[in-house]
Amino acid sequence: MTTADTADASPVAADALPMVFVHGTRFSAGQWSAQLAALRNEFPVAAVDLPGHGERSDQPWSLSSATAIIASAVDALGRGPALVVGHSLGGYAALEFARHHPERLRGLVLAGASASTRGAWTMPYRWVAGLVPRIPADRLARWNDRLLLRHYPPEVVEATIRAGYAFHTLPAAWGEVLGRFDAGAMRHVAAPALILNGEKDSLFRSGEADFARAHPHARVELIPRAGHLANFDAPDAFTDAVRRFARQLAAGR
């Protein structure tokens, strides 16, 4: 475990299921502060910074590096295969991890990452990825700080704000993910999967049914009234869904 990862060392049962959380675009491990705080007494938990993000902001982005970071976090917990929870960009990185490291995966939660990244609908995202480098990073950071503080309690987003944003990594990250993933990626997931989306996240729910059908042991759960940032919109409901899924995995259901 490196300093770019956050983990909790609170004593938990010896057979407790380990969890690794993977953040979304521009964020960091701090995205998961509410989930780590709520789950740490029952599960060994860790959250990683992907390459180019958080304390790894000086590292170049690549999906291969992202999967290696997730694998290292699983190994560092020392509890065997883990439940990996990935949001948005982190969800697609988790899919790549599942494909290359099936022996390290006990279960997968895809949050806001059940849309195909192929096809014409991706063009606006490619346009945004090209636009972001033209805007000063400090201006983008101020916009993001105001947005988060306008919509969410400080205790939910303060760790994210404190860690800063990875706007400089966005073009490379989206450039690699766009055009790469569709529902067929679920066929490479050997472990049970939960597709966990905000009810109002219409864009990233667009392939929800296809992603679920492509996996023999996947189910869909929606967070009522939540959008793309479901773990900010409804942190307790999001955490409860992850906790229930982890308990089911531990019980072999």
Side-chain angles (χ1 to χ4, degrees):
M1 190 84 56
T2 74
T3 56
D5 306 315
T6 61
D8 192 274
S10 301
V12 295
D15 60 349
L17 179 69
M19 298 183 187
V20 173
F21 290 79
V22 191
H23 62 80
T25 297
R26 81 187 181 280
F27 290 152
S28 67
Q31 178 181 348
W32 302 110
S33 58
Q35 282 66 51
L36 298 185
L39 295 167
R40 64 192 177 195
N41 290 328
E42 184 176 354
F43 305 96
V45 292
V48 301
D49 285 333
L50 292 173
H53 297 76
E55 293 189 18
R56 290 191 171 97
S57 62
D58 61 343
Q59 297 180 13
W61 166 269
S62 75
L63 271 175
S64 61
S65 294
T67 60
I69 287 167
I70 298 169
S72 293
V74 172
D75 292 346
L77 288 174
R79 301 294 188 104
L83 170 61
V84 176
V85 182
H87 172 257
S88 196
L89 174 66
Y92 296 111
L95 281 171
E96 192 77 356
F97 167 80
R99 178 174 184 172
H100 291 284
H101 300 283
E103 75 286 353
R104 289 181 168 99
L105 187 68
R106 184 76 175 275
L108 176 66
V109 176
L110 281 183
S114 53
S116 171
T117 67
R118 297 176 174 172
W121 78 269
T122 66
M123 291 306 296
Y125 285 84
R126 296 186 188 277
W127 180 81
V128 170
L131 176 64
V132 163
R134 304 177 189 177
I135 304 173
D138 59 345
R139 183 182 301 176
L140 290 170
R142 289 194 299 271
W143 289 347
N144 273 260
D145 288 352
R146 287 197 294 267
L147 177 68
L148 292 178
L149 290 171
R150 184 182 303 125
H151 291 285
Y152 306 111
E155 62 270 18
V156 174
V157 296
E158 60 187 5
T160 294
I161 292 172
R162 187 167 57 248
Y165 308 98
F167 299 112
H168 65 288
T169 303
L170 190 151
W174 284 14
E176 190 172 12
V177 168
L178 293 175
R180 189 182 188 104
F181 293 96
D182 60 17
M186 294 294 287
R187 291 195 286 270
H188 300 290
V189 179
L194 171 65
I195 298 171
L196 183 61
N197 287 324
E199 179 187 21
K200 296 183 178 180
D201 187 12
S202 57
L203 178 59
F204 285 91
R205 287 187 58 196
S206 61
E208 183 179 83
D210 293 335
F211 273 62
R213 280 194 296 266
H215 190 287
H217 303 291
R219 64 179 178 84
V220 175
E221 183 168 344
L222 299 180
I223 306 297
R225 298 176 297 282
H228 186 56
L229 295 176
N231 76 302
F232 286 171
D233 289 324
D236 292 341
F238 188 99
T239 301
D240 286 345
V242 172
R243 181 187 290 113
R244 281 186 275 103
F245 185 54
R247 288 175 176 174
Q248 291 165 3
L249 291 174
R253 300 199 300 269

